[in-house]
Structures are given as C-alpha cells and as structure tokens.
Amino acid sequence: MSLSGKAAIAGIGATEFSKDSGRSELRLAAEACLAAITDAGLTPADVDGLVTFTADANAEIAVQRELGIPSLRFFSRVDYGGGAACGTVAHAAMAVATGQADVVVCYRAFNERSGHRFGQANKGGGAGSLGMEFSWHLPYGFATPAAWVAMQARRYMHEYGATSEDFGRVAVAMRGHAATNPKAWFHGRPITLEEHQASRWIVEPLHLLDCCQESDGGQAIVVTTAERARDLPNRPVLIAGAAQGTGPGQMMMFSYYSGDIATLPAMGRVGEQLWRQAGLGPDDVQTAILYDHFTPFVLIQLEELGFCGRGEAKDFLKDGGIELGGRLPVNPHGGQLGEAYIHGMNGIAEGVRQVRGTSVNQVPDVTNVLVTAGTGVPTSGLVLTAG
C-alpha cells in the first residue's frame, strides 16, 4: 500500500516564539494545538489522535484534557530529538490512511531557553544503551551538540575543502530570510559574512552564528485524510512522501563509525525513500526546508538529497544559491537559525505555507516542498505537494 497522496495537512498553529514564554509547556502545547485545529476549520471534538516526540514533557492525555478532546483512538511518540519532527507527521499520515484515526494533531512544545537547555553540557547521558553511547564519548569532552557536530564538520572541511566562510553563507541566508519574517525572533536583524566570522568560537570550526537558537514556544500540525481535507477551509497540502531512516552504525549524534563521517547516511536513506514514494526528484522541488541546527549539516544535506554532488555544496551556496531568488531557496522563514528552534516543527509549518501560497517570503509557483528533520540522529523527512 502506498501512502502517497492519501493524507494531507489541513491546519497549522503556533504560539509566539520567545526566549521566556512565562507559561507552562503544557499551556504552550494546548495553545498551539488549538490554533492548528481552528486553522483547519475543526473543533477539538473532531480530533481522535495525537502524536509528539519522546522528548516532549506534555503527555497526550494531558493535552487531550486541556483541549477537551472526548477520546483518542491513536497516540504515538517518535524518538531521537529533532529527528522525530517529520516522523510525527509520518505516523499521523499512516494512522489516517489506514483508518486508525480521522484527525491527528502533531505537536511539540517546550521552554527550551527559559527551562531545560539542550545546548548545555550533558554530564550524565542517561541509562540503558543510550547511556552506554555517551559513556564512550563524554570522558573525551564530547558533552554538547556543538561538539558532536564539530567532529563531522572538521572532517567534511578536510575532505572537500569547505571553509568556515562556506558555513557562514548558510547563517547569512537564514538570518536574511528571518529579517523579513515578523514572527521570527531575528526579524529585522540580518547579519553579514564578516559578522559571522567575527562571532566567538563555540567549538572549532563552529562559530556562535553557526549554531541555532534556543527558543520557547509550541507548534502543531493537523493531519487528516486527503478526501476530508478537500472539504475544509484551507487548500489541502498533500503528503506525497513521508519517511524515517537510520544509517549504518547509527548512534545518537555520535555516528562516527559508518565509514565516512563527512556524510549523513540516515538522511540519504530518507531521501531515497521520499523521492521513490513521491515519484519526484530534486529538480521537481521549488523550495526546501532543511533542518539547520548547525550550518555544516545544511551543506551535507544538500548533497545527500541529490541537489548537488558530493563535496559540491560549497559551490551550490555561492552567489546566493539557497537565498530567495536562488537556485533552491532554503528555509524562507529563516529556519532554526533565524525564526525559532522548535525541533523542526516550525519548518513543517513553513512548508505548508509555501504550498498554500501564504508564506511571508513566498517562493513563486510552489508545487512541491521537501522538509527534513534533525541530522546526526535517526531522522525523517516529508515531501509536501499541492497535488
């Protein structure tokens, strides 16, 4: 059974994005979900499924109670941090396509700046197999996401001659897009490549401006059948492809044992599935929403997904290749570097807006959008289409 075209995104909703929300994570989740349900032209009584991340502190039954949803027929949690973002929509799409649910809301909400900060050093690593992975690396100083990514970034530079300036071009593009997005934290605050280069080191070769934000906020997505979506107020955004994937020797941000740490095999695997499911290829996409928690992984994603050859992303970026009006506009909303870091869920919402034609930085004539989730971990992706 093919999933392609059987499910659609009918609603999106979010809180404001801030550094100090001043309210509980459960309230953020409820606000975002209600906004998405309202956007879809539905009520909480229409919802019978909820999907979120294993990292989300808001239990499905708590969100159900806050929204007044009578009962749930489907609920699911996807693991591996930001890699779960598109996976939530994949699970929801499978549920509605197979009759397990009629309307599923995917959500993610946290106080990631004012509360628990993922960017701080992890000194424990947790129990079980994940704790074992951490125990091999923490003693050597690999205690933060920036440090974990820096290892792969350095190898990529060695293999392909990429420079810090190449990474900086990603940051400049994202901040430029955010500067014209009123909902972005960095609205009105673009940067230059010189400012990127002058920003302080976090872990060489990563500058401060190579690293995404820490944000408070919530984002939700409503998924239903394509047939039902056609009767709702918004233009249906069909899910043409939805995939999850891992690579060989996969670890949680420590995938240094796959044979080539200048690549992201899990994303390559996801890309293969997406193109096959959707019956499309890189040339059929008008804009891409790429998970930009750290700038080097944007370059590698362009290569893994087939937008350019191995080692060619640095050339793809030159002359504004990923900027508005470029060969492939990436993250017109500003991404996680410019708009907000909501574990990639706000990127899915931007993909929906691009297909609807309602983005503040609308790319012309959008029919197909590629969306990716977190990299360096087991990951996921979507192809969204106007059908």
Side-chain angles (χ1 to χ4, degrees), residues 9 29 45 52 56 69 71 85 124 148 159 165 168 170 197 208 235 245 261 275 296 322 357 375-376 381 386:
I9 295 174
T52 187
D56 199 285
I69 296 171
S71 64
W148 308 334
E159 287 286 342
E165 288 88 349
V170 174
Q197 290 291 286
L208 173 66
R235 180 183 186 181
I261 66 171
W275 300 136
I322 62 171
T375 45

Side-chain angles (χ1 to χ4, degrees), residues 218-363:
Q219 179 78 60
I221 314 288
V222 175
V223 178
T224 189
T225 62
E227 182 178 7
R228 182 168 188 170
R230 293 187 183 98
D231 295 327
L232 296 175
N234 295 309
R235 180 183 186 181
V237 177
L238 299 182
I239 300 167
Q244 295 176 270
T246 69
Q250 184 74 54
M251 287 190 173
M252 185 66 173
M253 297 291 288
F254 300 122
S255 294
Y256 306 142
Y257 312 99
S258 63
D260 185 353
I261 66 171
T263 64
L264 292 168
M267 185 54 70
R269 177 61 174 159
V270 166
E272 292 169 0
Q273 295 179 79
L274 291 176
W275 300 136
R276 183 176 67 253
Q277 290 176 22
L280 301 170
D283 291 341
D284 299 308
V285 169
Q286 289 77 47
T287 180
I289 313 299
L290 302 183
Y291 199 95
D292 58 333
H293 51 346
F294 297 99
T295 58
F297 279 0
V298 172
L299 278 75
I300 302 177
Q301 284 183 81
L302 289 169
E303 297 169 6
E304 292 288 356
L305 295 164
F307 292 106
C308 57
R310 191 73 69 191
E312 295 177 0
K314 64 183 185 301
D315 302 312
F316 192 98
L317 293 174
K318 290 179 179 176
D319 301 321
I322 62 171
E323 296 177 16
L324 297 173
R327 296 166 60 187
L328 179 73
V330 169
N331 299 348
H333 62 313
Q336 297 176 119
L337 289 160
E339 185 184 61
Y341 175 69
I342 311 295
H343 255 157
M345 292 293 277
N346 52 318
I348 300 173
E350 174 63 13
V352 172
R353 289 188 292 267
Q354 288 291 335
V355 175
R356 287 181 178 178
T358 60
S359 174
V360 68
N361 289 323
Q362 183 64 44
V363 174

Side-chain angles (χ1 to χ4, degrees), residues 35-377:
I37 293 166
T38 301
D39 180 62
L42 299 170
T43 70
D46 296 307
V47 176
D48 56 359
L50 291 171
V51 183
T52 187
F53 296 51
T54 56
D56 199 285
N58 304 295
E60 296 89 331
I61 54 175
V63 174
Q64 174 193 346
R65 291 194 304 269
E66 293 300 314
L67 293 174
I69 296 171
S71 64
L72 295 174
R73 294 199 294 136
F74 178 81
F75 41 92
S76 176
R77 285 189 167 233
V78 186
D79 208 344
Y80 306 116
C86 297
T88 64
V89 176
H91 283 211
M94 287 187 287
V96 301
T98 57
Q100 294 296 305
D102 293 322
V103 177
V104 180
V105 180
C106 308
Y107 66 90
R108 179 74 172 108
F110 53 21
N111 287 320
E112 199 267 334
R113 172 65 189 187
S114 64
H116 172 69
R117 298 174 65 182
F118 297 136
Q120 291 185 329
N122 186 320
K123 299 178 181 178
S129 60
L130 186 59
M132 181 177 67
E133 291 181 23
F134 275 78
S135 73
W136 296 340
H137 302 90
L138 291 177
Y140 299 97
F142 289 94
T144 68
W148 308 334
V149 172
M151 172 75 83
Q152 291 185 257
R154 180 65 80 187
R155 185 64 190 182
Y156 181 82
M157 296 169 80
H158 173 79
E159 287 286 342
Y160 300 116
T163 66
S164 174
E165 288 88 349
D166 294 320
F167 301 155
R169 290 185 178 91
V170 174
V172 170
M174 299 307 97
R175 287 288 294 272
H177 298 167
T180 53
N181 175 7
K183 294 187 177 180
W185 177 256
F186 284 114
H187 176 235
R189 289 183 280 175
I191 60 170
T192 65
L193 188 57
E194 290 73 24
E195 288 171 323
H196 170 274
Q197 290 291 286
S199 65
R200 64 184 174 89
W201 292 114
I202 299 300
V203 181
E204 293 189 45
L206 302 181
H207 289 274
L208 173 66
L209 295 179
D210 287 307
C211 307
C212 75
Q213 304 179 66
E214 295 174 303
S215 306
D216 288 8
Q219 179 78 60
I221 314 288
V222 175
V223 178
T224 189
T225 62
E227 182 178 7
R228 182 168 188 170
R230 293 187 183 98
D231 295 327
L232 296 175
N234 295 309
R235 180 183 186 181
V237 177
L238 299 182
I239 300 167
Q244 295 176 270
T246 69
Q250 184 74 54
M251 287 190 173
M252 185 66 173
M253 297 291 288
F254 300 122
S255 294
Y256 306 142
Y257 312 99
S258 63
D260 185 353
I261 66 171
T263 64
L264 292 168
M267 185 54 70
R269 177 61 174 159
V270 166
E272 292 169 0
Q273 295 179 79
L274 291 176
W275 300 136
R276 183 176 67 253
Q277 290 176 22
L280 301 170
D283 291 341
D284 299 308
V285 169
Q286 289 77 47
T287 180
I289 313 299
L290 302 183
Y291 199 95
D292 58 333
H293 51 346
F294 297 99
T295 58
F297 279 0
V298 172
L299 278 75
I300 302 177
Q301 284 183 81
L302 289 169
E303 297 169 6
E304 292 288 356
L305 295 164
F307 292 106
C308 57
R310 191 73 69 191
E312 295 177 0
K314 64 183 185 301
D315 302 312
F316 192 98
L317 293 174
K318 290 179 179 176
D319 301 321
I322 62 171
E323 296 177 16
L324 297 173
R327 296 166 60 187
L328 179 73
V330 169
N331 299 348
H333 62 313
Q336 297 176 119
L337 289 160
E339 185 184 61
Y341 175 69
I342 311 295
H343 255 157
M345 292 293 277
N346 52 318
I348 300 173
E350 174 63 13
V352 172
R353 289 188 292 267
Q354 288 291 335
V355 175
R356 287 181 178 178
T358 60
S359 174
V360 68
N361 289 323
Q362 183 64 44
V363 174
D365 303 319
V366 171
T367 301
N368 305 308
V369 178
L370 176 77
V371 186
T372 65
T375 45
V377 296

